[in-house]
Amino acid sequence: VKATAKAGIWSVIFYMAWYNLGYLMQKMLKNYGLNASIEQLLHNLLSMLIIVLWIASVMSQFGFDIVSVVAGLGIAGISVGVAAQATLANFIAGITILIEQSFQVGDWVSINEKEGKVVQIALRTTQILTRDNITVIFPNSTVASAEVINLTAKNLIRFDIEVRIALEADIESARAIILDILANTKEVLERPAPTATVDKIGDFGVFFIVRFWVNPPHVSRMPFIKENLREQIKVALDDAGIATPYPHMQLLMPSEAAPSVKTSP
């Protein structure tokens, strides 16, 4: 009964420590400027430490030799480690990701052609939330070996769209219309200034490459922003009488030879 009572007291103490861990970490680390990823790593490690100490404290109350148990767990751990190499690889990769900070929770990234917002970096997996509100879970070993594109690592991101006008259309007039649309789009930054330059002159028209800059919070809405820009530019060009040609072929047939006129001698 005495051992059970002591074990119960230790259980309550460790439970309270585990329950208040997040609040205590926030109070202690708020002045260190640590990002959410590092705080998450420390939270996970301290949670594991509290659980291990709780188990050891409870077992010691019932007469278990903790040293022998730890030694036995060490031998068993080697066997488990051999059988769980993939899990260990993910664990080590997760720590590496959190320490290197190539990306953080809240960044917009592309991993193996899957693009989304990082919502969690755990010790085994990394989760991103796509524009379709779908959660994609990557093993950390996959993330560590993949090509990761961090779209929001800097304060500004540049995007571009293509616009086509007829060969006979006035380039400067079309450019002015395009830049006016960009200037009246709230997501597009004034500085750096957007540009509309001729990318190429093809068989079916003059091709503009329209480049503009946005802030990181707008990256998640980029498909909608691009679609809206294309629509507004098309309407404005039509209103100005500037044609947007479509691929076509014109066949020119030779005219029939004029009949010869014979004159009498």
Side-chain angles (χ1 to χ4, degrees):
V1 174
K2 184 178 180 180
T4 302
K6 289 183 178 180
I9 293 173
W10 279 113
S11 297
V12 171
I13 293 174
F14 280 107
Y15 174 77
M16 294 300 297
W18 175 82
Y19 183 80
N20 294 287
L21 179 61
Y23 173 76
L24 294 174
M25 285 187 58
Q26 184 178 5
K27 296 290 289 185
M28 290 187 296
L29 301 177
K30 65 178 181 179
N31 297 325
Y32 291 92
L34 298 179
N35 59 57
S37 301
I38 298 299
E39 289 186 11
Q40 188 178 73
L41 171 61
L42 293 176
H43 185 276
N44 291 339
L45 292 178
L46 289 176
S47 296
M48 293 177 60
L49 178 61
I50 289 174
I51 292 174
V52 171
L53 292 176
W54 168 67
I55 295 175
S57 299
V58 171
M59 293 179 65
S60 65
Q61 302 305 318
F62 294 97
F64 287 92
D65 186 355
I66 301 301
V67 176
S68 300
V69 172
V70 171
L73 290 176
I75 297 174
I78 296 175
S79 302
V80 173
V82 174
Q85 294 181 7
T87 300
L88 290 176
N90 290 326
F91 178 82
I92 295 172
I95 295 177
T96 302
I97 292 170
L98 291 171
I99 292 176
E100 289 183 349
Q101 299 185 51
S102 300
F103 58 88
Q104 305 173 15
V105 172
D107 284 343
W108 195 273
V109 300
S110 175
I111 304 175
N112 289 345
E113 299 183 356
K114 297 290 186 180
E115 188 175 306
K117 180 181 180 180
V118 179
V119 294
Q120 184 180 29
I121 305 175
L123 293 179
R124 193 181 65 85
T125 62
T126 295
Q127 299 182 18
I128 66 172
L129 186 67
T130 69
R131 291 187 177 92
D132 300 323
N133 203 35
I134 297 174
T135 299
V136 183
I137 303 173
F138 295 97
N140 283 332
S141 59
T142 300
V143 177
S145 60
E147 179 180 290
V148 180
I149 301 174
N150 190 342
L151 298 175
T152 53
K154 305 298 182 181
N155 293 329
L156 305 174
I157 311 100
R158 192 184 73 179
F159 294 92
D160 59 72
I161 60 174
E162 186 180 80
V163 177
R164 184 174 59 193
I165 63 173
L167 286 169
E168 64 274 10
D170 183 70
I171 292 177
E172 288 303 323
S173 298
R175 192 197 321 273
I177 292 172
I178 294 171
L179 293 178
D180 183 64
I181 295 297
L182 292 170
N184 289 285
T185 302
K186 63 180 181 179
E187 293 87 356
V188 176
L189 297 176
E190 296 181 2
R191 294 288 182 274
T195 60
T197 56
V198 176
D199 181 41
K200 62 182 177 180
I201 300 176
D203 296 334
F204 304 112
V206 179
F207 293 79
F208 279 95
I209 184 72
V210 181
R211 298 184 175 95
F212 56 94
W213 297 79
V214 301
N215 286 324
H218 298 305
V219 172
S220 61
R221 300 180 62 250
M222 277 317 301
F224 171 78
I225 294 173
K226 288 184 176 182
E227 292 160 4
N228 188 49
L229 283 173
R230 292 189 185 100
E231 180 179 344
Q232 291 189 56
I233 291 172
K234 174 65 169 64
V235 172
L237 291 175
D238 289 344
D239 292 341
I242 298 176
T244 304
Y246 54 89
H248 64 279
M249 181 180 295
Q250 183 177 7
L251 298 178
L252 300 177
M253 303 297 293
S255 59
E256 295 181 0
S260 58
V261 179
K262 294 181 180 182
T263 57
S264 58

